[in-house]
């Protein structure tokens, strides 16, 4: 900002960083708005990237930090429901703020620390209100992702909706349909880091999820089930463990959780972990022994640890139940065949080869899990030799 100001341009810290500073939080990102045109910004800094130069945004490196610097602009219609068809560069910061989504994000701070707040965003923050800038229906229809952001912001910052904004969430709900699942997925990942449990009634009643169809529509029943469980005193575990919680009350929850994670681009590993964690928790909810050695082995260590974090939330901090899960995970001897204390080379020395090695290992794993033998070298070697002597490897293949 000093560089821009020194070159004769106005420059302001804008957006979420201003909101976070007013809330006493450390800003996650720093965005600057300026009267300088993109080419003028580029001429002032040694290292720049044309992040979105068509819309006036240039990333610049200053004092070792990368910042997004965007020229003051007004915007044309959002033909693709994501970005404006065109922008017009302007010289007025208030005109730039007028294009933003919510009043709490439509504030700016200049180099001297003066606040520019034409829509009373600070007042809305103090009142705990989320209010759209201008016509809320128009704001949401410009970019349907703002509907999801509204829900996420309400949970993240413990806000209630301004009446007109709340009505627009219903009237403009259909604007979510063309939004890519990957974009929605990023917002829901942020929601999973927020205290969503305090707003689960809102999450269950919003019409957004059904508007998009499967897999997003499954959230409606997932949140409704959580809302039916009563008040949760403890905060939910952040991240994918929270996302898995959203599927505990869904029919075919494990499979649907996996499909949800895959289609929202969380990755195959995350999808598999979430699926298995939901399966464990549903078994626990049915009164089954979800912490048995066999159950934990089938789930895997990462899903089991995710499930343990979910249990601490669902069991409302029951110290006995939390300790039971932690102890079972700590004492689990085998999570994978590679955890056996008998190297594969020993099986080869016993004359096993190919698939026989894996078959013998699985026999050893089952006996260890049932508590019939210890996961110790000598015990495993004796059992492996007996397995060969019995001829359990013959006729398999």
């Amino acid at each position: 900002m000093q560089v821009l100001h020194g070159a004769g341009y106005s420059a302001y810290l804008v957006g979420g960083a201003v909101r976070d500073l007013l809330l006493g939080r450390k800003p996650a990102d720093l965005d600057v708005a300026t009267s300088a045109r993109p080419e003028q910004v580029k001429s002032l800094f040694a290292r720049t990237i044309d992040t979105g130069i068509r819309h006036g945004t240039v990333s610049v490196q200053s004092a070792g930090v990368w910042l997004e610097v965007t020229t003051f602009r007004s915007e044309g219609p959002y033909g693709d429901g994501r970005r404006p068809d065109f922008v017009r560069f302007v010289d007025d910061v208030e005109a730039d703020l007028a294009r933003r989504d919510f009043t709490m994000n439509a504030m700016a701070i200049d180099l001297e620390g003066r606040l520019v707040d034409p829509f009373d965003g600070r007042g809305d923050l103090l009142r705990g209100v989320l209010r759209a800038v201008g016509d809320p229906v128009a704001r949401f229809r410009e970019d349907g992702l703002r509907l999801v952001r509204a829900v996420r912001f309400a949970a993240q910052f413990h806000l209630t909706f301004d009446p007109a904004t709340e009505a627009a969430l219903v009237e403009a709900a259909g604007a979510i349909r063309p939004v890519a699942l990957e974009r929605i997925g990023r917002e829901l990942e942020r929601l999973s880091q927020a205290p969503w449990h305090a707003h689960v009634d809102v999450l269950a009643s919003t019409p957004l999820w059904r508007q998009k169809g499967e897999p997003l529509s499954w959230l409606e029943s997932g949140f409704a089930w959580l809302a039916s469980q009563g008040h949760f005193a403890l905060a939910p575990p952040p991240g994918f463990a929270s996302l898995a919680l959203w599927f505990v009350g869904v029919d075919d929850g494990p499979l649907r959780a996996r499909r949800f994670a895959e289609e929202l681009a969380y990755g195959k590993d995350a999808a598999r972990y979430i699926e298995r964690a939901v399966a464990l928790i549903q078994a626990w909810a049915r009164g089954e022994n979800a912490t048995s050695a066999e159950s934990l082995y089938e789930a895997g260590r990462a899903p089991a640890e995710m499930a343990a974090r979910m249990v601490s939330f669902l069991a409302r901090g029951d110290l006995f139940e939390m300790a039971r899960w932690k102890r079972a995970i700590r004492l689990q001897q085998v999570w994978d065949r590679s955890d056996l204390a008998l190297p594969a080379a020993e099986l080869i020395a016993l004359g096993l080869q190919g698939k026989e090695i894996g078959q013998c290992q699985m026999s050893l794993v089952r006996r260890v899990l049932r508590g019939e033998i210890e996961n110790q070298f000598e015990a495993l070697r004796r059992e492996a030799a007996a397995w060969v002597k019995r001829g359990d490897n013959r006729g398999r293949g």
Side-chain angles (χ1 to χ4, degrees), residues 251-284:
D251 291 338
D252 297 324
L255 292 176
R256 291 188 174 190
R258 183 184 68 189
R259 181 180 158 193
F260 182 89
E262 288 174 344
E263 294 197 26
L264 272 71
Y266 294 137
K268 290 186 177 180
D269 285 345
R272 185 172 67 253
Y273 295 163
I274 291 167
E275 175 188 25
R276 293 178 180 179
V278 173
L280 265 185
I281 292 301
Q282 288 191 336
W284 170 77

Side-chain angles (χ1 to χ4, degrees), residues 47-243:
R47 299 192 64 185
T48 67
I49 299 174
D50 293 354
T51 308
I53 198 165
R54 177 170 170 260
H55 295 98
T57 301
V58 177
S59 292
V60 305
Q61 190 180 57
S62 178
V65 178
W66 284 95
L67 308 172
E68 282 199 353
V69 179
T70 303
T71 303
F72 298 154
R73 72 191 192 201
S74 62
E75 298 176 338
Y78 283 61
D80 64 356
R82 180 175 183 180
R83 296 187 181 92
D85 296 339
F86 60 86
V87 301
R88 295 188 183 92
F89 296 142
V90 297
D91 296 317
D92 180 14
V93 66
E94 292 196 11
D96 181 82
L97 296 175
R99 67 179 175 82
R100 298 177 184 268
D101 51 7
F102 303 105
T103 61
M104 69 176 189
N105 296 331
M107 296 181 285
I109 294 177
D110 69 10
L111 196 59
E112 303 300 322
R114 291 184 292 262
L115 180 69
V116 180
D117 185 14
F119 305 104
D120 195 26
R122 179 167 58 178
D124 283 341
L125 277 178
L126 290 172
R127 290 184 290 271
V129 171
L130 184 68
R131 181 164 58 94
V133 174
D135 179 359
V137 173
R139 287 286 85 82
F140 291 139
R141 286 177 176 165
E142 286 171 348
D143 182 354
L145 188 65
R146 289 171 175 167
L147 293 158
V148 187
R149 283 168 59 83
V151 173
R152 192 255 295 180
F153 283 140
Q156 183 176 356
F157 299 110
H158 295 294
L159 305 174
T160 57
F161 294 112
D162 161 77
T165 301
E166 185 173 25
L169 282 168
V170 177
E171 183 177 346
I176 196 177
R177 294 176 195 146
V179 180
L181 283 173
E182 291 84 353
R183 296 183 71 207
I184 295 172
R186 288 193 290 273
E187 284 300 319
L188 292 179
E189 193 170 359
R190 294 184 181 103
L191 176 65
S192 74
Q193 302 284 344
W196 54 265
H197 67 299
H199 305 268
V200 70
D201 289 334
V202 173
L203 294 171
S205 62
T206 179
L208 294 181
W209 319 130
R210 70 179 70 172
Q211 291 287 334
K212 187 68 177 174
E214 296 179 357
L216 204 65
S217 60
W218 297 330
L219 289 179
E220 185 171 353
S221 57
F223 285 129
W225 181 83
L226 287 164
S228 73
Q229 302 305 298
H231 176 68
F232 291 100
L234 296 182
F240 289 140
S242 259
L243 193 147

